[in-house]
């Protein structure tokens, strides 16, 4: 049981962005993927979510080869993601944004959408209540009908996590969730991520902010220039020579 | 606020308006032909409102698909002598099928390119109809299309039949928009990548919707052919495609009643204004004013409290109303 990238290689023209990279996300485990800019983190992330396809290697979901599945199918199979820049309709309400997350598991048929049967209305009431609970749990806003655009960047990231949780994922992949987020919202985000892992969701965090990830993750992977240079306990990875060199340009400092 | 109570408002409003028009027709029978024309335009404009207003995907081919529907039924009923009810299915399915086939490659284009491509579908159809020889009657078109058996020459029946279909479509529209599929459609309008990340098969969903939009235009064409009794290449033309988009934008592309109001204004103005030039001036002027002062159409001028009941989805967004002189709608 895992979401894994197996010996992935990708080159853009002559530039090898990923060289034979393998990573596995286990249920209930928070895996942190760190590396300086240009390390290939986002490309690896895109391979796992289906935005990019590997030129070599395979992506497996619980043993099934999903390398060529498009993004929308992976969501249906339980691989949810958030975006570096939150993507949502800023004019729609917070409730509407969270409700959107239920689509992949509760999509009505074309005919079912055009007629309003009592069973559908019941389902929608249930989902609405569930969305309101998520909004409360994530401490997004006191008013579910508030415009999403009125939230801070941190809350928008949190909103994306809530929306991803609404799709009942088996694996949750977060692309730089802590970038540009203040202390308070970052604490809320950490709480939400821990809770997801507690619910047996496998979490992959991609960040270049090492501090946030080292504190949060159970397992840490460091990438430099398209290769994995260190993997293991966060405590060990942040002290790894190559990681320190990549981040600090060769000068060792006491951690 | 449940999906149910939201749509009761707009359906109730529409039925009340239809009842009013029906009463009016008791004194002036010509009202029925006008209202039938509005209803036929609404069949073209309403699904385009869904595709464009809610899905952010423009189409300038509604006139062309209506022409395909109208000619399909005209050819089947006059050349083969079959009943209009037999030709109903092909008149709807053929445009829908054509739309579905061409949808996948074109619907990923940006808005302006998509407008131009769909517009050129109209050109292709129009030329094909003009050069169709005996089959399409070339430039003369086809005469002597039989009236619908359950309508005959009764104007009031045509009025009722068309508006019954429009009411059913409005109900379907609002149900669709209050379902998770409606949310998915709004997500597509916001951002295709976002929609995919929510598990939406964007290409398939848009293709299906584009096909339904075309099929309903075909239905409008079917009504048109059997109400008027003839079709010609220029009766359902490129100009009509542009006018249908005009109705949607004028009335309000994000509200369910917007396209119908746009269809009504367009039809009434065409009836009352003499000459094509003054019509063009009126439509051009009103479009500029609407786009300047109320970019989401006339429906956004309706007071918010009212709008929450009469529109489906925009109701939840707390966009401030633009400041516009009041009384422009009623």
């Amino acid at each position: 049981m895992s979401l894994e990238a197996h010996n992935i290689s990708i080159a853009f023209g002559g530039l090898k962005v990923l060289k034979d990279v393998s990573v596995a996300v286990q249920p209930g485990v928070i895996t942190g993927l760190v590396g300086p800019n240009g390390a290939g983190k986002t490309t690896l992330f895109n391979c796992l979510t289906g935005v990019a396809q590997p030129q070599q290697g395979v992506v497996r979901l619980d043993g099934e080869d999903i390398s060529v599945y498009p993004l929308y199918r992976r969501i249906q199979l339980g691989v949810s993601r958030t975006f570096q820049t939150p993507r949502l309709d800023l004019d729609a309400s917070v409730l509407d944004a969270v409700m959107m997350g239920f689509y992949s598991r509760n999509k009505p048929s074309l005919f079912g959408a055009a007629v309003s049967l009592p069973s559908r209305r019941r389902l929608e009431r249930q989902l609405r209540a569930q969305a309101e609970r998520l909004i409360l749990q994530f401490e997004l806003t006191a008013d579910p009908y508030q415009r999403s655009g009125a939230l801070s960047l941190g809350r928008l990231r949190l909103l994306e996590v809530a929306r991803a949780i609404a799709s009942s994922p088996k694996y949750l992949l977060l692309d730089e969730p802590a970038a540009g987020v203040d202390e308070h919202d970052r604490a809320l985000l950490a709480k939400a991520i821990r809770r997801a892992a507690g619910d047996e969701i496998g979490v992959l965090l991609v960040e270049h902010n090492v501090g946030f990830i080292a504190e949060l993750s159970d397992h840490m992977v460091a990438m430099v220039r398209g290769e994995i240079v260190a993997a293991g306990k966060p405590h060990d990875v942040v002290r790894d020579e190559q990681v320190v060199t990549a981040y600090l340009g060769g000068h060792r400092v006491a951690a | 606020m449940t999906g149910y109570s939201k749509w009761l408002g707009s359906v109730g409003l529409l039925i009340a308006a239809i009842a009013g028009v029906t009463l009016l027709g008791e004194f002036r029978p010509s009202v029925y032909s006008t209202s039938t024309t509005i209803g036929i335009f609404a069949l073209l404009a309403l699904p385009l409102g869904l595709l464009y207003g809610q899905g952010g995907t423009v189409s300038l081919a509604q006139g062309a698909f209506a022409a395909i529907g109208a000619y399909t039924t005209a050819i089947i009923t006059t050349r083969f002598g079959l009943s209009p009810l037999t030709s109903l299915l092909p008149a709807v399915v053929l445009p829908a099928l054509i739309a579905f086939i061409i949808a996948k490659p074109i619907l990923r284009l940006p808005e302006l390119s998509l407008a131009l491509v769909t517009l050129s579908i109209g050109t292709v159809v129009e030329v094909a109809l003009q050069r169709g020889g005996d089959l399409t009657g070339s430039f003369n078109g086809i005469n002597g299309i039989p009236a619908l058996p359950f309508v005959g020459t009764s104007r009031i029946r045509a009025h009722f039949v068309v508006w019954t279909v429009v009411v059913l479509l409005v109900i379907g529209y609002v149900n669709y928009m209050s379902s998770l599929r409606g949310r998915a459609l709004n997500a597509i309008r916001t951002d295709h990548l976002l929609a995919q990340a929510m598990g939406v098969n964007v290409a398939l969903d848009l293709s299906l919707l584009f096909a339904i939009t075309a099929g309903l235009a075909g239905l409008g064409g079917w009504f048109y052919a059997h109400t008027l009794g003839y079709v010609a290449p220029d009766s359902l033309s490129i100009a009509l495609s542009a006018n249908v988009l005009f109705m949607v934008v004028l009335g309000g592309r994000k509200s369910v009643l917007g396209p119908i109001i746009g269809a009504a204004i367009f039809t009434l103005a065409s009836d009352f204004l003499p000459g094509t030039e003054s019509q063009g001036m009126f439509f051009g002027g009103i479009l500029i004013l609407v786009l300047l002062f109320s970019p989401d159409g006339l429906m956004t001028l309706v007071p918010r409290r009212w709008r929450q009941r009469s529109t489906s989805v925009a109701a939840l967004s707390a966009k401030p109303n633009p400041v516009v002189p009041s009384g422009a709608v009623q």
Side-chain angles (χ1 to χ4, degrees), chain B residues 315-327:
Chain B
L316 287 180
S317 71
K319 226 183 208 169
N321 284 325
V323 183
V324 184
S326 59

Side-chain angles (χ1 to χ4, degrees), chain A residues 48-240:
Chain A
L48 287 168
T49 54
V51 175
Q53 284 178 7
Q55 287 156 346
Q56 275 166 38
V58 287
V59 180
R60 285 206 193 94
L61 173 65
D62 299 340
E64 188 186 353
D65 183 356
I66 60 164
S67 309
V68 295
Y69 287 10
L71 175 58
Y72 71 88
R73 265 197 78 188
R74 297 190 194 199
I75 311 299
Q76 292 165 355
L77 292 173
V79 183
S80 286
R81 66 165 292 176
T82 65
F83 293 93
Q84 221 174 89
T85 319
R87 284 179 182 262
L88 35 86
D89 181 0
L90 294 177
D91 287 329
S93 69
V94 174
L95 183 74
D96 276 343
V98 175
M99 289 284 283
M100 189 61 232
F102 293 119
Y103 179 83
S104 62
R105 303 261 180 216
N106 301 282
K107 174 175 105 164
S109 70
L110 207 55
F111 179 75
V115 293
S116 182
L117 298 171
S119 62
R120 193 192 102 184
R121 290 203 292 276
R122 206 161 42 237
L123 174 70
E124 248 146 49
R125 267 199 305 278
Q126 278 168 13
L127 294 179
R128 187 177 299 266
Q130 222 172 312
E132 278 168 2
R133 271 202 301 280
L134 278 171
I135 291 170
L136 216 63
Q137 196 180 34
F138 281 80
E139 301 175 49
L140 289 174
T141 165
D143 173 19
Y145 292 93
Q146 188 183 32
R147 207 175 146 258
S148 310
L151 300 186
S152 67
L153 178 64
R155 297 296 165 99
L156 286 180
R157 291 253 168 76
L158 213 52
L159 172 56
E160 281 210 323
V161 177
R163 188 174 65 184
I165 294 288
S167 69
S168 333
K170 286 191 262 180
Y171 300 95
L172 177 60
L173 283 60
L174 304 130
D175 196 1
E176 306 217 353
V181 174
D182 68 31
E183 204 90 347
H184 177 71
D185 286 351
R186 203 178 286 186
L188 285 178
L189 204 56
K191 202 170 115 190
I193 291 168
R194 285 210 183 90
R195 193 169 46 229
D199 293 337
E200 283 307 297
I201 296 172
V203 180
L204 179 73
L205 288 171
V206 173
E207 270 287 351
H208 57 239
N209 179 345
V210 180
F212 178 73
I213 268 207
E215 194 190 304
L216 199 58
S217 41
D218 308 309
H219 181 80
M220 198 159 153
V221 178
M223 282 178 79
V224 177
R225 284 185 294 278
E227 281 173 294
I228 290 177
V229 294
K233 292 269 169 233
H235 181 81
D236 303 328
V237 172
V238 294
R239 282 174 180 71
D240 184 275

Side-chain angles (χ1 to χ4, degrees), chain B residues 129-267:
Chain B
L129 294 176
Q130 285 166 356
R131 315 278 159 175
D134 283 343
L135 188 67
T136 65
S138 296
F139 287 90
N140 296 326
I142 298 172
N143 282 309
I145 303 168
L148 297 175
F150 50 91
V151 173
T153 51
S154 158
R155 285 169 166 184
I156 186 165
R157 281 197 195 163
H159 158 85
F160 273 127
V161 171
V162 171
W163 282 101
T164 305
V165 178
V166 174
V167 168
L168 290 177
L169 281 184
V170 166
I171 293 173
Y173 178 116
V174 184
N175 281 339
Y176 190 95
M177 285 317 297
S178 58
S179 79
L180 283 174
R181 265 184 187 272
R183 290 169 199 282
L185 192 57
N186 282 160
I188 293 174
R189 181 184 68 203
T190 310
D191 178 354
H192 283 203
L193 187 60
L194 159 69
Q196 283 167 354
M198 294 295 108
V200 182
N201 187 345
V202 174
L204 180 68
D205 277 18
L206 277 185
S207 299
L208 280 173
L209 211 59
F210 189 58
I212 291 171
T213 304
L216 290 172
L219 178 66
W222 179 80
F223 263 118
Y224 180 94
H226 293 293
T227 315
L228 263 76
Y230 72 89
V231 280
D234 56 357
S235 50
L236 296 160
S237 61
I238 291 172
L240 179 62
S241 294
N243 286 335
V244 171
L245 186 61
F246 168 79
M247 295 169 202
V248 172
V249 173
L250 176 69
R253 65 187 188 120
K254 288 180 183 171
S255 88
V256 58
L257 294 184
I260 300 174
I261 289 169
I265 293 174
F266 176 82
T267 311

